Amino acid sequence: MENEKMTLTKTAKLVLQEQEYELPTFTGSEGEVGIDISQLRSKTGAITADSGYGNTGSCQSAITFIDGEKGILRYRGYPIEELAEKSNFTEVSYLLIFGHLPNKKELEKFQFGLTHHSLIHEDMKKFYEGFPPTAHPMGILSSMVSSLSAFYPEAGYNADVELNIIRLLSKLKTIAAFSYKKSIGQPYVYPRNDLSYSADMLHMMFAVPSEVYEVPKVLEEALDLLLILHADHEQNCSTSTVRMVGSSEANLFASISAGICALWGPLHGGANQQVITMLEKIRDDGGDYKKYINLAKDKESKFKLMGFGHRVYKNFDPRAKILKASADKVLEQLGVKDPMLDIAKNLEEIALKDPFFIERKLYPNVDFYSGIIYRAMGIPTNMFTVMFALGRLPGWIAQWKEMRETPGARIYRPRQIYVGETTRSYVALEKR
Ligand code: ACO
């Protein structure tokens, strides 16, 4: 427990098989109390059981603070609402990774790096040819990120970390945009150094060689906001995966590639795609959203209201609040009328009044409205989770870097309670 922000408070007492043990407790900078069980097994022979790690602090971190009861999210101490209103994705990326808001010189250097490393090796383009046109872009994204380690073999755990961070941040948007172009059979559009991070991504996705394409300001701003809101979320499934893989001293590209795979799942980042699939289903079924509320309440149906519920937020997700307002604004500015937005709002309204959702503290999460904005922006559904990955990248990097810089960090290796067969003798095939 080496962080000076962690103060040793009282001890906790554990009585196990009539024997009493004292366990140190620590308090973080926001008053959260943790019981240090690192010596538990060696002292008592017992371990803790915490399926889904809902009560396990896997690390100390100074990056992101969430108070799920109050709906608070802060990056490095700055409220998400302020960053969403006043900052931009490049600055937020710097803040997360390096711990402070950059001054002018630092920002210029960072921006220069982000633009001047955005090309991918021409040989990497050949990899795209090997994927079928139906390949999900998340599969392509994770493969391509992993393959970056082949192009930067010096990218080992102890490599020039800062350079690899810049490389990865700047190349991910090129990789993502190329995978989209490949899926629609259009020629790749190369990155441009004069554009912002978000505008460059949109330019690479939507420009075609036959005409001049100016990225509309409304799209650039909408994407920048989405990326900021997704940039970090402490020890969620994909971030814990990045730390887990990184804890074996795997290189940055390998660790992030694993995080991309974890994000893909429909219970995590893949939910934004599933929300639209769900809303389309409701629309095609005559818009009877009450039927789907009832289905979500019926455990036998296995149907879940996608974009609803969160492990940590038990009041509201501050990101969803910002995005709901943004969805209205962006659709209006783009002149898009989307019946899906009305279905989503109706679903939310009725669910928030329903005892099933109230008792379980189920509220819309960040994915509930993000898909509607992406749709209005012309981004295809199977690219939604890729956009999420683009946003989450600085958070993953910051967490990987923090773990790497933590003195005495150990390989992640949880234990288990074995519930299988006890010892038995092998039976020859003819006797089974
Ligand atoms: N629809 C209907 N019921 C739900 C939903 C939902 N979306 N989410 C949770 N519940 C119910 C569960 O069935 C459970 O009910 P029970 O107590 O009667 O058994 C109760 O609410 C608690 O849910 P858990 O699944 O135990 O909560 P957990 O913290 O493990 O899971 C999760 C959180 C995965 C986000 C869950 O709410 C869910 O599957 N939501 C839908 C998928 C989704 O939107 N994921 C995106 C999350 S945000 C992100 O990752 C970026």
Side-chain angles (χ1 to χ4, degrees), residues 103-383:
N103 62 30
K104 201 164 173 286
K105 213 169 142 204
E106 288 168 331
L107 188 61
E108 274 169 12
K109 187 176 168 224
F110 188 58
Q111 257 163 346
F112 183 88
L114 286 191
T115 50
H116 288 77
H117 287 279
S118 56
L119 285 171
I120 56 170
H121 195 290
E122 284 293 298
D123 286 349
M124 279 188 84
K125 282 189 352 197
K126 293 186 196 132
F127 296 172
Y128 287 98
E129 310 313 320
F131 290 106
T134 50
H136 195 287
M138 281 298 274
I140 300 180
L141 195 72
S142 100
S143 315
M144 296 299 267
V145 168
S146 185
S147 71
L148 281 174
S149 52
F151 287 85
Y152 302 101
E154 78 281 19
Y157 195 68
N158 296 315
D160 182 346
V161 168
E162 211 164 305
L163 177 60
N164 286 327
I165 286 173
I166 295 286
R167 279 175 177 150
L168 184 51
L169 276 170
S170 56
K171 290 181 201 307
L172 195 75
K173 63 175 155 50
T174 312
I175 291 172
F178 279 19
S179 70
Y180 171 62
K181 285 298 200 191
K182 155 78 186 166
S183 74
I184 57 169
Q186 284 187 4
Y188 305 124
V189 174
Y190 281 71
R192 264 178 48 185
N193 289 356
D194 59 321
L195 297 177
S196 74
Y197 195 91
S198 297
D200 193 24
M201 173 66 187
L202 291 165
H203 186 264
M204 285 191 283
M205 281 183 80
F206 296 132
V208 282
S210 46
E211 52 191 61
V212 178
Y213 175 76
E214 283 279 338
V215 179
K217 204 74 194 155
V218 49
L219 294 193
E220 181 182 354
E221 285 173 3
L223 180 58
D224 219 60
L225 175 70
L226 283 155
L227 298 183
I228 290 172
L229 295 181
H230 285 92
D232 194 47
H233 216 234
E234 51 118 305
Q235 308 313 317
N236 56 81
C237 175
S238 55
T239 302
S240 297
T241 302
V242 169
R243 281 190 181 253
M244 169 77 80
V245 174
S247 77
S248 75
E249 301 195 356
N251 68 61
L252 176 67
F253 303 122
S255 307
I256 300 293
S257 168
I260 292 170
C261 292
L263 187 75
W264 192 357
L267 297 189
H268 191 15
N272 55 14
Q273 180 174 344
Q274 297 302 322
V275 169
I276 293 298
T277 309
M278 175 186 77
L279 294 175
E280 279 171 348
K281 199 170 160 200
I282 298 174
R283 181 200 57 195
D284 298 345
D285 199 12
D288 185 1
Y289 46 86
K290 286 182 191 157
K291 175 177 157 188
Y292 287 86
I293 293 278
N294 288 333
L295 266 180
K297 287 155 60 173
D298 174 10
K299 290 283 162 67
E300 298 291 297
S301 76
K302 304 264 181 257
F303 175 80
K304 270 185 171 182
L305 212 52
M306 298 313 283
F308 253 73
H310 200 275
R311 172 63 62 79
V312 178
Y313 292 120
K314 299 298 171 198
N315 189 343
F316 68 93
D317 179 339
R319 305 166 301 172
K321 213 171 164 184
I322 298 170
L323 282 184
K324 187 180 177 184
S326 166
D328 277 327
K329 199 175 118 196
V330 173
L331 265 66
E332 196 195 310
Q333 284 176 339
L334 290 172
V336 173
K337 267 214 72 62
D338 189 347
M340 308 279 236
L341 182 59
D342 297 329
I343 296 175
K345 282 184 176 172
N346 285 331
L347 269 180
E348 178 184 354
E349 200 187 322
I350 195 166
L352 293 185
K353 286 188 200 139
D354 192 298
F356 177 94
F357 293 89
I358 294 170
E359 278 158 24
R360 289 168 180 77
K361 301 187 174 180
L362 301 172
Y363 298 87
N365 59 51
V366 68
D367 288 330
F368 196 64
Y369 286 105
S370 64
I372 290 170
I373 304 178
Y374 284 135
R375 225 170 97 90
M377 292 170 72
I379 292 169
T381 314
N382 69 354
M383 281 294 286

